[in-house]
Amino acid sequence: QVQLQQWGAGLLKPSETLSLTCAVYGGPFSGSLRDYYWSWIRQPPGKGLEWIGEINHSGSANYNPSLKSRVTISIDTSRNQFSLTLNSVTAADTAMYYCASRVVPAAVGLWGQGTLVTVSS
Amino acid sequence: QSALTQPRSLSGSPGQSVTISCTGTSSDVGSYNYVSWYQQHPGEAPKFMIYDVNKRPSGVPDRFSGFKSGNTASLTISGLQAEDEADYYCCSYAGSYVVFGGGTKLTVL
């Protein structure tokens, strides 16, 4: 059974870089999990979900057009981990950040536990 | 891209049926049969309820059903139960990216 476990800094100052990592347990990226896409999704407090982007095992990534200029999603197949980097954060980036996975397009079947990231001076 | 449009709130009594709409555009909902729905209780991660417009993952009761017509998708919950009270989000594939709806707060009276 595939499980996701995420971690990263929870408090940032404006203009700093957000960095989160998600470890995947339950199979190798390039083996039994090769058909998965690995996603990042966020949810500001009291608000709705926002898709940030996703990456597959070969490193091909897609991003939300509204965040594309500040976002990088990378994958480390040797460690079965994928990561999110968001540059130049502001208070508007304060949110619960989830790592997640899907096989079918737009069908996010598995979610990490979430990491609350607060941006405050 | 803009978020898909959902009603902010809906309510229903136990045993009743409710339908949550999700309106997109010809670039997302209207172009792909990749619409999914998520249920989120307070303080929890979203739970996957429907995918590919009308398919249920294992373990999701058949009280939950999905439909799509044109640019609008919908989620119907039949035989409403107290535990169905939650926020619901639709989601659509849009080519190279994914877009969520703004969410609907469902209250069970």
Side-chain angles (χ1 to χ4, degrees):
Chain A
Q1 185 173 352
V2 181
Q3 294 184 340
L4 307 177
Q5 184 171 0
Q6 60 183 99
W7 65 89
L11 182 60
L12 297 172
K13 290 181 168 48
S15 80
E16 291 186 335
T17 296
L18 180 156
S19 181
L20 298 173
T21 297
C22 185
V24 180
Y25 302 96
F29 277 153
S30 300
S32 58
L33 303 182
R34 67 182 295 108
D35 292 331
Y36 283 68
Y37 272 76
W38 308 99
S39 311
W40 289 97
I41 296 165
R42 70 180 183 179
Q43 184 172 32
K47 296 188 178 180
L49 300 167
E50 181 179 33
W51 183 81
I52 299 171
E54 63 184 13
I55 193 167
N56 67 7
H57 74 282
S58 63
S60 177
N62 293 309
Y63 299 112
N64 184 325
S66 66
L67 297 170
K68 190 173 183 176
S69 63
R70 297 194 292 131
V71 172
T72 300
I73 296 175
S74 58
I75 193 165
D76 184 338
T77 55
S78 65
R79 296 186 178 189
N80 252 44
Q81 296 175 358
F82 64 104
S83 299
L84 168 69
T85 300
L86 179 65
N87 299 322
S88 305
V89 299
T90 69
D93 295 311
T94 293
M96 182 71 78
Y97 285 75
Y98 294 100
C99 63
S101 71
R102 62 98 173 163
V103 175
V104 175
V108 182
L110 197 59
W111 298 72
Q113 79 275 20
T115 299
L116 180 61
V117 176
T118 301
V119 180
S120 174
S121 55
Chain B
Q1 85 290 9
S2 299
L4 307 177
T5 301
Q6 298 181 232
R8 276 189 159 263
S9 64
L10 279 176
S11 62
S13 299
Q16 288 185 332
S17 294
V18 295
T19 296
I20 302 171
S21 63
C22 169
T23 301
T25 69
S26 58
S27 298
D28 39 62
V29 176
S31 287
Y32 304 95
N33 288 324
Y34 293 130
V35 175
S36 54
W37 289 88
Y38 303 86
Q39 176 192 66
Q40 187 179 36
H41 289 110
E44 297 182 3
K47 177 185 175 183
F48 184 38
M49 304 300 285
I50 294 284
Y51 69 101
D52 289 359
V53 175
N54 57 15
K55 297 177 182 175
R56 284 186 306 277
S58 174
V60 174
D62 59 7
R63 302 187 295 105
F64 292 83
S65 61
F67 180 76
K68 191 191 91 166
S69 177
N71 295 340
T72 299
S74 59
L75 173 72
T76 296
I77 308 172
S78 305
L80 207 56
Q81 299 180 3
E83 59 262 36
D84 298 333
E85 182 163 298
D87 293 326
Y88 290 84
Y89 295 91
C90 61
C91 176
S92 177
Y93 184 65
S96 60
Y97 62 91
V98 168
V99 60
F100 281 96
T104 298
K105 182 175 183 59
L106 175 64
T107 300
V108 180
L109 301 171

